[in-house]
């Protein structure tokens, strides 16, 4: 602080004009601001994605790699080289000229050891003075992709995938049909207590589903649905407050002149919905569909409640938790299984992200 003050005083005494940040050219200020925003965004992205990077690195390691505290963060195994029928370990050896080389330990000793150069095995062994135990092993990149096949087989992943796609897909169809019809009625037609019905519907969003768990479980148990997919699929054919709200907001953005033009051409309400409004609402429908698909894909609690006795019907979320319990001492298999469960939603979002984000943007709602 004192040096800065003295610099300013020296400039003032020398008569040189001091330049403030506000006097900087507008183009330079924009470049500096863009650079600062980029740096902050990059830092946030690195922090946000670091758990995913750790998951990917762990999934490619062996149990020995994870337990090796000197190993790097990426999948790497201590290097070895074959020499006269033996496997020699590689170490990072400091040479007299100050450089470091990876040498294979041929004959360990307390004060001096003999090494061979892995790049020139025909050369004479090299004597190095020092304690070889203090040397760092030379690691080589060695990803273990077999972890994924092992997790696939142990989890019975095809059965879990079939169950998850069936539950999520059928529920998505149901919620799209029901939510579209309800949103169409609330956005296009006059009815008694329309505003009250909409407020009550939206108010159910803040109602925790745990509140209704006991009565709904008692009902489904009474009618014999426990132990089947029906409690996870059929309720979605009666609409969802989130999805109804989103679709209603989107339908309100469409001009009613479209309905009037269709009516003049003789189209009824359902024909107008099918031929006029739904083609215009494709981004919102895709957004609602993906919302529900991801919700059902990641849902753990309700499948656990209703399918706890039917392992052959459980989805990936429950199957992954069972797998974690059975293999809790094998974190590399757990992370490989988690990445397998994560892969399909990521692929779906990657291909549908443009329509998905457009639907959210036009409706002004995020779930």
């Amino acid at each position: 602080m004192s040096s800065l003050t003295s610099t300013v005083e020296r400039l003032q005494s020398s008569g040189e004009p001091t330049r403030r940040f506000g006097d900087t050219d507008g183009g330079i200020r924009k470049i500096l601001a863009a650079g600062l925003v980029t740096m902050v965004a990059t830092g946030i992205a690195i922090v946000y994605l670091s758990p995913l990077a750790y998951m990917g690195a762990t999934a490619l390691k062996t149990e020995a790699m994870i337990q090796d505290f000197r190993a790097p963060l990426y999948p790497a195994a201590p290097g070895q080289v074959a020499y006269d029928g033996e496997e020699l370990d590689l170490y990072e050896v400091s040479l007299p000229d100050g450089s470091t080389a990876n040498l294979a330990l041929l004959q360990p000793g307390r004060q001096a050891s003999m090494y061979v150069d892995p790049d020139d095995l025909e050369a004479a062994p090299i004597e190095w003075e020092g304690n070889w135990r203090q040397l760092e092993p030379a690691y080589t990149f060695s990803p273990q992709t077999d972890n994924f096949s092992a997790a696939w087989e142990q989890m019975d992943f095809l059965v879990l995938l079939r169950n998850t796609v069936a539950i999520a897909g059928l529920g998505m169809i149901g919620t799209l049909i029901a939510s579209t019809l309800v949103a169409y009625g609330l956005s296009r037609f006059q009815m008694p207590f329309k505003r009250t019905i909409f407020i009550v519907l939206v108010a159910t969003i803040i109602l925790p589903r745990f509140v209704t768990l006991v009565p709904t479980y008692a009902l489904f148990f009474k009618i014999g649905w426990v132990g089947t997919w029906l409690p996870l699929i059929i309720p979605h054919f009666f609409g969802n407050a989130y999805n109804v709200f989103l679709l209603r907001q989107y339908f309100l953005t469409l001009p009613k002149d479209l309905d009037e033009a269709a009516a003049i051409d003789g189209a009824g309400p359902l024909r107008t919905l099918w031929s006029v409004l739904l083609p215009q609402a494709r981004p919102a429908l895709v957004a609602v569909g993906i919302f529900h698909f991801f919700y059902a894909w990641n849902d753990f609690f309700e499948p656990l409640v209703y399918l706890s006795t039917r392992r052959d019907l459980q989805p990936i979320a429950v199957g992954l938790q069972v797998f974690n319990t059975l293999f809790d001492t094998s974190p590399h298999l757990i992370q490989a299984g988690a990445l397998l469960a994560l892969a399909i939603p990521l692929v779906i979002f990657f291909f549908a992200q443009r329509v998905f984000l457009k639907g959210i943007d036009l409706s002004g709602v995020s779930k």
Side-chain angles (χ1 to χ4, degrees):
M1 188 66 182
S2 58
S3 61
L4 177 63
T5 305
S6 60
T7 302
V8 174
E9 291 175 349
R10 186 173 66 254
L11 290 174
Q12 290 177 345
S13 61
S14 63
E16 296 180 8
T18 58
R19 190 172 186 180
R20 300 178 179 178
F21 181 76
D23 300 331
T24 308
D25 183 70
I28 296 177
R29 280 189 294 174
K30 289 183 178 179
I31 294 175
L32 292 175
L36 181 61
V37 171
T38 303
M39 290 177 59
V40 173
T42 304
I44 294 175
I46 291 174
V47 173
Y48 187 78
L49 295 177
S50 57
L52 188 61
Y54 175 79
M55 177 189 296
T58 306
L60 293 172
K61 292 182 178 179
T62 63
E63 193 169 349
M65 292 179 189
I66 297 173
Q67 294 176 351
D68 188 355
F69 65 93
R70 293 185 298 183
L73 294 178
Y74 60 84
Q80 290 185 326
V81 62
Y83 183 78
D84 287 344
E86 297 182 5
E87 293 291 335
L88 305 182
D89 295 330
L90 290 175
Y91 289 90
E92 297 179 355
V93 181
S94 298
L95 301 179
D97 59 356
S99 62
T100 302
N102 294 335
L103 300 179
L105 179 60
L106 177 62
Q107 184 176 358
R110 291 188 176 180
Q111 301 298 329
S113 303
M114 301 301 293
Y115 296 86
V116 293
D117 187 354
D119 297 329
D120 189 7
L121 297 176
E122 300 297 332
I126 304 171
E127 183 180 9
W128 181 80
E129 295 184 357
N131 189 350
W132 67 274
R133 297 181 184 277
Q134 296 179 352
L135 296 176
E136 292 289 337
Y139 290 93
T140 57
F141 183 64
S142 179
Q144 305 296 313
T145 55
D146 294 341
N147 294 338
F148 292 96
S149 58
W152 181 285
E153 295 177 1
Q154 295 294 336
M155 292 174 65
D156 203 358
F157 196 80
L158 277 181
V159 175
L160 296 177
L161 184 63
R162 178 204 64 186
N163 299 341
T164 307
V165 170
I167 295 172
L170 293 175
M172 181 181 67
I173 294 173
T175 196
L176 279 176
I177 295 174
S179 300
T180 299
L181 293 176
V182 176
Y184 178 52
L186 291 175
S187 62
R188 282 305 204 253
F189 301 100
Q190 296 298 326
M191 64 186 75
F193 309 109
K194 175 181 175 181
R195 182 176 178 80
T196 303
I197 294 173
F198 180 68
I199 292 175
V200 172
L201 178 67
V202 173
T204 60
I205 295 176
I206 63 174
L207 185 66
R209 58 175 176 169
F210 306 103
V211 175
T212 60
L213 178 64
V214 174
T216 52
Y217 182 87
L219 173 63
F220 294 144
F221 180 79
K222 188 72 175 178
I223 60 179
W225 284 9
V226 174
T228 69
W229 288 343
L230 296 178
L232 306 175
I233 297 174
I234 298 302
H236 298 296
F237 281 80
F238 294 91
N240 177 279
Y242 280 114
N243 301 331
V244 170
F245 180 62
L246 192 151
L247 290 174
R248 174 186 176 272
Q249 296 300 106
Y250 194 91
F251 285 150
L252 289 176
T253 64
L254 301 177
K256 289 190 176 181
D257 295 344
L258 296 174
D259 302 48
E260 296 171 358
I264 292 174
D265 291 339
L270 291 179
R271 181 69 177 178
T272 302
L273 173 65
W274 178 258
S275 302
V276 178
L277 297 184
L278 289 186
Q280 303 291 329
R282 189 175 302 165
L285 294 173
V286 173
V288 168
I290 293 180
F291 271 145
H292 180 83
F293 189 84
F294 287 164
Y295 165 79
W297 188 282
N298 297 316
D299 189 18
F300 170 76
F301 186 68
E302 290 190 357
L304 178 67
V305 170
Y306 295 114
L307 299 174
S308 59
T309 59
R310 295 293 304 273
R311 292 193 59 180
D312 57 320
L313 297 180
Q314 291 175 349
I316 287 178
V318 180
L320 184 62
Q321 183 60 35
V322 174
F323 179 72
N324 293 348
T325 305
L326 296 176
F327 293 89
D328 59 344
T329 58
S330 303
H332 54 298
L333 295 180
I334 293 176
Q335 300 302 335
L339 282 179
L340 288 175
L342 188 65
I344 294 179
L346 280 181
V347 171
I348 294 174
F349 180 78
F350 177 78
F351 284 105
Q353 61 173 330
R354 180 174 298 178
V355 181
F356 177 70
L357 295 177
K358 183 179 179 182
I360 294 177
D361 183 46
L362 292 177
S363 60
V365 178
S366 62
K367 185 175 180 178

